[in-house]
Amino acid sequence: MAEYYAKSNNSLNFEVTNSDKLIGTLSYKNWFKFNAIIDIAAYKSYQVEPKGFWGTTIELKDGEKVLLKFRMNWNGEIIVQTYFDGVKESYVFKHRGIFKESFVLTDKIGSELVIMKPNFKWNLMGNEYQMITSDTFENLSNKEVLMMISLHCANYYMSMMSAAIV
């Protein structure tokens, strides 16, 4: 089990740390788009881009190679499919609770891998997150990418729900 923090200084850029060690950054190009860049601790950079006419499927790419896709289904869960090393895996990212709000990333059998607790910052008009991971998650070979995409999923979920209310 480990504890990570995602902090933002302007709601467009997030830094994820563990014990003050930088794990990665998530940088949005602008406020109303889901395009982003994920940098994993100074050794790898990925592009996050919406696809399709409505942009409802989001892809994570390494150059032109798609490594991950996610989309929100009809009940508000986000289905994440990864293609790391040619192996397809599926995960579910979902919102829990109203008063003790959190997000959770589960594997295909429902085991909790990451629990994310948002903390709304009025001065930033956005969220920061505490992320608690399971031992199973800590042993995944691409855990940093999954953690960063979980952060993107949380922001995506908040955006989609805000748009639905307006």
Coordinates of all heavy atoms in Angstrom, one line a residue, residues 57-122:
T57 N -14.5 8.9 -26.6 CA -13.4 7.9 -26.3 C -12.2 8.7 -26.2 O -11.9 9.5 -27.1 CB -13.3 6.8 -27.4 OG1 -14.5 6.1 -27.4 CG2 -12.2 5.9 -27.1
I58 N -11.4 8.5 -25.1 CA -10.1 9.2 -24.9 C -9.0 8.1 -25.1 O -9.1 7.0 -24.5 CB -10.1 9.8 -23.5 CG1 -11.3 10.6 -23.2 CG2 -8.8 10.6 -23.3 CD1 -11.5 11.9 -24.0
E59 N -8.0 8.5 -25.8 CA -6.9 7.6 -26.0 C -5.6 8.1 -25.4 O -5.4 9.4 -25.5 CB -6.6 7.4 -27.5 CG -7.7 6.6 -28.2 CD -7.5 6.4 -29.7 OE1 -6.6 7.1 -30.3 OE2 -8.1 5.5 -30.3
L60 N -4.8 7.2 -24.9 CA -3.4 7.6 -24.5 C -2.5 7.0 -25.5 O -2.5 5.8 -25.8 CB -3.1 7.0 -23.1 CG -1.7 7.3 -22.6 CD1 -1.7 8.2 -21.4 CD2 -1.0 6.0 -22.3
K61 N -1.6 7.8 -26.1 CA -0.7 7.4 -27.1 C 0.8 7.6 -26.8 O 1.1 8.6 -26.2 CB -1.0 8.1 -28.4 CG -2.3 7.8 -29.1 CD -2.5 8.7 -30.3 CE -3.6 8.2 -31.2 NZ -3.6 8.9 -32.5
D62 N 1.6 6.7 -27.3 CA 3.0 6.8 -27.3 C 3.4 7.0 -28.7 O 3.4 6.0 -29.5 CB 3.7 5.6 -26.7 CG 5.2 5.7 -26.6 OD1 5.7 6.8 -26.9 OD2 5.8 4.7 -26.2
G63 N 3.5 8.2 -29.2 CA 3.7 8.5 -30.6 C 2.4 8.2 -31.3 O 1.3 8.8 -31.0
E64 N 2.3 7.3 -32.2 CA 1.1 6.9 -32.9 C 0.5 5.6 -32.3 O -0.6 5.2 -32.7 CB 1.3 6.7 -34.4 CG 1.6 8.0 -35.1 CD 0.5 9.0 -35.0 OE1 -0.7 8.7 -35.2 OE2 0.8 10.2 -34.6
K65 N 1.2 5.0 -31.4 CA 0.7 3.7 -30.8 C -0.2 4.0 -29.6 O 0.1 4.7 -28.7 CB 1.9 2.9 -30.3 CG 1.6 1.6 -29.8 CD 2.8 0.8 -29.4 CE 2.4 -0.6 -28.9 NZ 3.6 -1.3 -28.5
V66 N -1.4 3.4 -29.7 CA -2.5 3.5 -28.7 C -2.1 2.5 -27.6 O -2.1 1.3 -27.8 CB -3.9 3.3 -29.2 CG1 -4.9 3.4 -28.1 CG2 -4.2 4.4 -30.3
L67 N -1.9 3.0 -26.4 CA -1.6 2.2 -25.2 C -2.8 2.0 -24.3 O -2.8 1.0 -23.5 CB -0.4 2.8 -24.4 CG 0.9 2.9 -25.1 CD1 1.9 3.6 -24.2 CD2 1.4 1.5 -25.6
L68 N -3.8 2.9 -24.4 CA -4.9 2.9 -23.5 C -6.0 3.6 -24.1 O -5.8 4.6 -24.8 CB -4.4 3.5 -22.2 CG -5.3 3.6 -21.0 CD1 -4.5 3.5 -19.7 CD2 -6.1 4.9 -21.0
K69 N -7.3 3.2 -23.8 CA -8.5 3.9 -24.2 C -9.4 3.9 -23.0 O -9.4 3.0 -22.2 CB -9.2 3.2 -25.3 CG -8.5 3.2 -26.6 CD -9.4 2.4 -27.6 CE -8.7 2.3 -29.0 NZ -9.6 1.6 -29.9
F70 N -10.2 5.0 -22.9 CA -11.3 4.9 -21.9 C -12.5 5.7 -22.4 O -12.4 6.6 -23.3 CB -10.8 5.4 -20.5 CG -10.6 6.9 -20.4 CD1 -11.6 7.8 -20.1 CD2 -9.3 7.4 -20.4 CE1 -11.3 9.1 -20.0 CE2 -9.0 8.7 -20.2 CZ -10.0 9.6 -20.0
R71 N -13.6 5.3 -21.9 CA -14.9 6.0 -22.2 C -15.9 5.8 -21.1 O -15.8 4.8 -20.3 CB -15.5 5.4 -23.5 CG -15.9 4.0 -23.4 CD -16.5 3.4 -24.6 NE -16.6 1.9 -24.6 CZ -17.2 1.2 -23.7 NH1 -17.9 1.7 -22.8 NH2 -17.2 -0.1 -23.8
M72 N -16.8 6.7 -20.9 CA -17.8 6.7 -19.9 C -19.0 5.9 -20.4 O -19.4 6.1 -21.5 CB -18.2 8.1 -19.4 CG -19.1 8.1 -18.2 SD -19.5 9.7 -17.6 CE -18.0 10.2 -16.8
N73 N -19.5 5.0 -19.6 CA -20.7 4.2 -20.0 C -21.9 4.9 -19.5 O -21.9 5.9 -18.8 CB -20.6 2.7 -19.7 CG -20.6 2.5 -18.2 OD1 -20.9 3.3 -17.4 ND2 -20.2 1.2 -17.8
W74 N -23.1 4.3 -19.8 CA -24.4 4.9 -19.4 C -24.6 5.1 -18.0 O -25.4 6.0 -17.6 CB -25.5 4.1 -20.0 CG -25.5 2.7 -19.5 CD1 -24.9 1.6 -19.9 CD2 -26.2 2.3 -18.3 NE1 -25.1 0.5 -19.1 CE2 -26.0 0.9 -18.1 CE3 -27.1 2.9 -17.4 CZ2 -26.5 0.1 -17.1 CZ3 -27.6 2.2 -16.4 CH2 -27.3 0.8 -16.2
N75 N -23.9 4.4 -17.1 CA -24.2 4.6 -15.6 C -23.1 5.4 -14.9 O -23.0 5.4 -13.7 CB -24.4 3.2 -14.9 CG -23.1 2.3 -15.0 OD1 -22.1 2.7 -15.6 ND2 -23.2 1.2 -14.4
G76 N -22.2 6.1 -15.7 CA -21.2 6.9 -15.1 C -19.9 6.3 -14.8 O -19.0 7.0 -14.3
E77 N -19.8 5.0 -15.0 CA -18.5 4.3 -14.8 C -17.6 4.6 -16.1 O -18.1 4.7 -17.2 CB -18.7 2.8 -14.6 CG -19.4 2.5 -13.4 CD -19.6 1.0 -13.2 OE1 -19.5 0.2 -14.2 OE2 -19.8 0.6 -12.1
I78 N -16.4 4.7 -15.9 CA -15.4 4.8 -17.0 C -14.7 3.5 -17.2 O -14.1 3.0 -16.2 CB -14.4 6.0 -16.7 CG1 -15.2 7.3 -16.5 CG2 -13.3 6.0 -17.7 CD1 -14.3 8.5 -16.1
I79 N -14.8 3.0 -18.3 CA -14.2 1.7 -18.7 C -12.8 2.0 -19.3 O -12.7 2.7 -20.3 CB -15.1 0.9 -19.7 CG1 -16.5 0.8 -19.2 CG2 -14.4 -0.4 -20.0 CD1 -16.6 0.1 -17.8
V80 N -11.8 1.5 -18.7 CA -10.4 1.7 -19.1 C -9.9 0.4 -19.7 O -9.9 -0.6 -19.1 CB -9.5 2.2 -18.0 CG1 -8.1 2.4 -18.4 CG2 -10.1 3.4 -17.3
Q81 N -9.3 0.5 -20.9 CA -8.7 -0.7 -21.6 C -7.3 -0.4 -21.9 O -7.0 0.7 -22.5 CB -9.4 -1.1 -22.8 CG -10.9 -1.6 -22.5 CD -11.6 -2.0 -23.8 OE1 -11.5 -1.3 -24.8 NE2 -12.3 -3.0 -23.7
T82 N -6.4 -1.2 -21.4 CA -4.9 -1.0 -21.7 C -4.4 -2.0 -22.7 O -5.0 -3.1 -22.8 CB -4.1 -1.1 -20.4 OG1 -4.2 -2.4 -19.8 CG2 -4.6 0.0 -19.4
Y83 N -3.4 -1.7 -23.4 CA -2.8 -2.5 -24.4 C -1.3 -2.5 -24.2 O -0.5 -2.5 -25.1 CB -3.1 -2.0 -25.8 CG -4.6 -1.9 -26.0 CD1 -5.2 -0.6 -25.9 CD2 -5.4 -3.0 -26.3 CE1 -6.6 -0.5 -26.0 CE2 -6.8 -2.8 -26.5 CZ -7.3 -1.6 -26.3 OH -8.7 -1.4 -26.5
F84 N -0.8 -2.6 -22.9 CA 0.6 -2.5 -22.7 C 1.3 -3.9 -23.1 O 0.7 -4.9 -22.8 CB 0.9 -2.3 -21.2 CG 0.4 -1.0 -20.7 CD1 -0.5 -0.9 -19.7 CD2 0.8 0.2 -21.3 CE1 -1.0 0.3 -19.2 CE2 0.3 1.4 -20.8 CZ -0.6 1.5 -19.8
D85 N 2.4 -3.8 -23.8 CA 3.1 -5.0 -24.2 C 2.2 -6.0 -25.0 O 2.4 -7.2 -24.9 CB 3.8 -5.7 -23.0 CG 4.7 -4.8 -22.2 OD1 5.4 -4.0 -22.9 OD2 4.6 -4.8 -21.0
G86 N 1.3 -5.5 -25.7 CA 0.4 -6.3 -26.5 C -0.7 -7.1 -25.8 O -1.3 -7.9 -26.3
V87 N -0.8 -6.8 -24.4 CA -1.8 -7.6 -23.6 C -2.9 -6.6 -23.3 O -2.7 -5.5 -22.7 CB -1.1 -8.1 -22.3 CG1 -2.1 -8.8 -21.4 CG2 0.1 -9.0 -22.7
K88 N -4.1 -7.0 -23.6 CA -5.3 -6.2 -23.3 C -5.8 -6.5 -21.8 O -6.0 -7.7 -21.5 CB -6.4 -6.5 -24.3 CG -7.7 -5.7 -24.0 CD -8.7 -6.0 -25.1 CE -10.0 -5.2 -24.8 NZ -11.0 -5.5 -25.7
E89 N -5.9 -5.4 -21.1 CA -6.5 -5.5 -19.7 C -7.6 -4.5 -19.6 O -7.6 -3.5 -20.2 CB -5.4 -5.2 -18.6 CG -4.3 -6.2 -18.5 CD -4.7 -7.5 -17.9 OE1 -5.7 -7.5 -17.1 OE2 -4.1 -8.5 -18.2
S90 N -8.6 -4.8 -18.7 CA -9.7 -3.9 -18.5 C -9.8 -3.5 -17.0 O -9.5 -4.3 -16.1 CB -11.0 -4.6 -18.9 OG -11.0 -4.9 -20.3
Y91 N -10.2 -2.3 -16.8 CA -10.3 -1.7 -15.5 C -11.6 -0.8 -15.5 O -12.1 -0.4 -16.5 CB -9.1 -0.8 -15.1 CG -7.8 -1.5 -15.2 CD1 -7.1 -1.5 -16.3 CD2 -7.3 -2.1 -14.0 CE1 -5.8 -2.1 -16.4 CE2 -6.1 -2.8 -14.1 CZ -5.4 -2.8 -15.3 OH -4.2 -3.4 -15.3
V92 N -12.1 -0.6 -14.3 CA -13.3 0.3 -14.2 C -12.9 1.4 -13.2 O -12.4 1.1 -12.1 CB -14.5 -0.5 -13.6 CG1 -15.7 0.4 -13.4 CG2 -14.9 -1.6 -14.6
F93 N -13.2 2.6 -13.6 CA -13.0 3.8 -12.7 C -14.4 4.3 -12.4 O -15.2 4.6 -13.3 CB -12.2 4.8 -13.5 CG -11.8 6.0 -12.7 CD1 -10.7 6.0 -11.9 CD2 -12.6 7.2 -12.6 CE1 -10.3 7.1 -11.1 CE2 -12.3 8.3 -11.9 CZ -11.2 8.2 -11.1
K94 N -14.7 4.5 -11.1 CA -16.1 4.9 -10.8 C -16.0 5.9 -9.6 O -15.1 5.9 -8.8 CB -17.0 3.7 -10.5 CG -16.5 2.7 -9.5 CD -17.4 1.5 -9.5 CE -16.7 0.4 -8.7 NZ -17.5 -0.8 -8.8
H95 N -17.1 6.6 -9.5 CA -17.3 7.6 -8.4 C -18.1 6.9 -7.3 O -19.0 6.0 -7.6 CB -18.2 8.7 -9.0 CG -18.5 9.8 -8.0 ND1 -19.7 9.9 -7.4 CD2 -17.7 10.8 -7.5 CE1 -19.7 10.9 -6.5 NE2 -18.5 11.5 -6.6
R96 N -17.7 7.2 -6.1 CA -18.4 6.6 -4.9 C -18.8 7.8 -4.0 O -18.1 8.7 -3.8 CB -17.5 5.7 -4.1 CG -17.2 4.4 -4.7 CD -16.7 3.5 -3.7 NE -15.5 3.9 -3.0 CZ -14.7 3.1 -2.4 NH1 -14.8 1.8 -2.5 NH2 -13.6 3.6 -1.8
G97 N -20.0 7.6 -3.4 CA -20.5 8.5 -2.4 C -20.9 9.9 -2.8 O -20.6 10.3 -3.9
I98 N -21.5 10.6 -1.9 CA -21.9 12.0 -2.1 C -21.2 12.8 -1.1 O -20.6 13.8 -1.4 CB -23.4 12.1 -2.1 CG1 -24.0 11.4 -3.3 CG2 -23.8 13.6 -2.1 CD1 -25.5 11.3 -3.3
F99 N -21.3 12.5 0.2 CA -20.8 13.3 1.3 C -19.3 12.9 1.6 O -18.5 13.8 1.9 CB -21.6 13.1 2.5 CG -23.0 13.6 2.3 CD1 -24.1 12.8 2.3 CD2 -23.3 15.0 2.1 CE1 -25.4 13.2 2.0 CE2 -24.6 15.4 1.8 CZ -25.6 14.5 1.8
K100 N -19.0 11.7 1.4 CA -17.6 11.2 1.6 C -17.1 10.8 0.2 O -16.9 9.6 0.0 CB -17.4 10.1 2.6 CG -17.7 10.6 4.0 CD -17.2 9.6 5.0 CE -17.3 10.2 6.4 NZ -16.7 9.4 7.4
E101 N -17.1 11.7 -0.7 CA -16.8 11.5 -2.1 C -15.4 10.9 -2.3 O -14.4 11.3 -1.7 CB -16.9 12.8 -2.8 CG -16.8 12.7 -4.3 CD -17.0 14.0 -5.0 OE1 -16.5 15.0 -4.5 OE2 -17.7 14.0 -6.0
S102 N -15.4 9.9 -3.2 CA -14.1 9.3 -3.7 C -14.3 8.7 -5.0 O -15.4 8.5 -5.5 CB -13.6 8.3 -2.7 OG -14.4 7.2 -2.6
F103 N -13.2 8.4 -5.6 CA -13.2 7.6 -6.9 C -12.4 6.4 -6.6 O -11.5 6.3 -5.7 CB -12.5 8.4 -8.0 CG -13.2 9.7 -8.4 CD1 -12.8 10.9 -7.8 CD2 -14.2 9.7 -9.3 CE1 -13.4 12.1 -8.2 CE2 -14.9 10.8 -9.6 CZ -14.5 12.0 -9.1
V104 N -12.7 5.3 -7.4 CA -11.9 4.1 -7.2 C -11.7 3.5 -8.6 O -12.5 3.5 -9.5 CB -12.7 3.1 -6.3 CG1 -14.1 2.7 -6.9 CG2 -11.9 1.9 -6.0
L105 N -10.5 2.9 -8.7 CA -10.1 2.2 -9.9 C -10.0 0.7 -9.5 O -9.3 0.4 -8.5 CB -8.7 2.6 -10.4 CG -8.2 1.8 -11.7 CD1 -9.0 2.2 -12.9 CD2 -6.7 2.1 -11.9
T106 N -10.8 -0.1 -10.2 CA -10.8 -1.6 -9.9 C -10.3 -2.4 -11.1 O -10.4 -1.9 -12.2 CB -12.2 -2.0 -9.5 OG1 -13.1 -1.9 -10.6 CG2 -12.8 -1.3 -8.3
D107 N -9.9 -3.6 -10.8 CA -9.5 -4.5 -11.9 C -10.8 -5.2 -12.4 O -11.9 -4.9 -11.9 CB -8.4 -5.4 -11.5 CG -8.8 -6.4 -10.4 OD1 -10.0 -6.5 -10.0 OD2 -7.9 -7.0 -9.8
K108 N -10.6 -6.1 -13.3 CA -11.8 -6.7 -14.0 C -12.6 -7.6 -13.0 O -13.8 -7.9 -13.3 CB -11.4 -7.5 -15.2 CG -10.4 -8.6 -14.9 CD -9.9 -9.2 -16.2 CE -8.7 -10.1 -16.0 NZ -8.0 -10.4 -17.2
I109 N -12.0 -8.0 -11.9 CA -12.8 -8.8 -10.9 C -13.3 -8.0 -9.8 O -13.9 -8.5 -8.8 CB -12.0 -10.0 -10.4 CG1 -10.7 -9.6 -9.7 CG2 -11.7 -11.0 -11.5 CD1 -10.0 -10.7 -9.0
G110 N -13.1 -6.7 -9.8 CA -13.7 -5.7 -8.8 C -12.8 -5.4 -7.7 O -13.2 -4.7 -6.7
S111 N -11.5 -5.9 -7.7 CA -10.6 -5.6 -6.6 C -10.1 -4.1 -6.7 O -9.8 -3.7 -7.8 CB -9.3 -6.5 -6.7 OG -9.7 -7.8 -6.5
E112 N -10.2 -3.4 -5.6 CA -9.8 -2.0 -5.6 C -8.3 -1.9 -5.7 O -7.5 -2.4 -4.9 CB -10.3 -1.3 -4.3 CG -11.8 -1.2 -4.2 CD -12.3 -0.5 -3.0 OE1 -11.5 -0.2 -2.1 OE2 -13.5 -0.3 -2.9
L113 N -7.9 -1.1 -6.7 CA -6.5 -0.8 -6.9 C -6.0 0.6 -6.4 O -5.0 0.7 -5.9 CB -6.2 -1.0 -8.4 CG -6.5 -2.3 -9.0 CD1 -6.2 -2.3 -10.5 CD2 -5.6 -3.4 -8.4
V114 N -6.9 1.6 -6.7 CA -6.6 3.0 -6.3 C -7.9 3.6 -5.8 O -8.9 3.5 -6.4 CB -6.1 3.8 -7.5 CG1 -5.8 5.2 -7.1 CG2 -4.9 3.2 -8.2
I115 N -7.7 4.2 -4.6 CA -8.8 5.0 -4.1 C -8.4 6.5 -4.1 O -7.3 6.8 -3.6 CB -9.2 4.6 -2.7 CG1 -9.7 3.2 -2.7 CG2 -10.3 5.5 -2.1 CD1 -9.9 2.6 -1.3
M116 N -9.1 7.3 -4.7 CA -8.8 8.8 -4.9 C -9.8 9.6 -4.1 O -11.0 9.5 -4.3 CB -8.8 9.2 -6.3 CG -7.8 8.4 -7.2 SD -7.9 8.9 -8.9 CE -7.4 10.6 -8.8
K117 N -9.3 10.4 -3.2 CA -10.1 11.3 -2.4 C -9.9 12.8 -2.8 O -8.8 13.3 -2.6 CB -9.9 11.2 -0.9 CG -10.2 9.8 -0.4 CD -9.8 9.6 1.0 CE -10.1 8.1 1.4 NZ -9.7 7.9 2.8
P118 N -10.9 13.4 -3.5 CA -10.7 14.8 -3.9 C -10.8 15.8 -2.8 O -11.5 15.5 -1.8 CB -11.8 15.0 -4.9 CG -12.9 14.0 -4.5 CD -12.2 12.9 -3.9
N119 N -10.1 16.8 -2.9 CA -10.1 17.9 -1.9 C -10.2 19.2 -2.7 O -9.3 19.6 -3.4 CB -8.9 17.9 -1.1 CG -8.9 19.0 0.0 OD1 -9.9 19.6 0.2 ND2 -7.7 19.3 0.5
F120 N -11.4 19.8 -2.7 CA -11.7 21.0 -3.5 C -10.9 22.2 -3.0 O -11.0 22.5 -1.8 CB -13.2 21.3 -3.6 CG -13.5 22.4 -4.6 CD1 -13.5 22.2 -6.0 CD2 -13.8 23.7 -4.1 CE1 -13.7 23.2 -6.8 CE2 -14.1 24.7 -5.0 CZ -14.0 24.5 -6.4
K121 N -10.2 22.9 -3.8 CA -9.4 24.1 -3.4 C -10.1 25.3 -4.0 O -10.1 25.5 -5.3 CB -8.0 24.0 -3.9 CG -7.2 22.9 -3.3 CD -7.0 23.1 -1.8 CE -6.0 22.1 -1.2 NZ -5.8 22.3 0.2
W122 N -10.7 26.1 -3.2 CA -11.5 27.3 -3.7 C -10.5 28.3 -4.4 O -10.9 28.8 -5.4 CB -12.2 28.0 -2.6 CG -13.4 27.3 -2.2 CD1 -13.6 26.5 -1.1 CD2 -14.7 27.3 -2.8 NE1 -14.8 25.9 -1.0 CE2 -15.5 26.4 -2.1 CE3 -15.1 27.9 -4.0 CZ2 -16.8 26.2 -2.5 CZ3 -16.4 27.6 -4.4 CH2 -17.3 26.8 -3.6

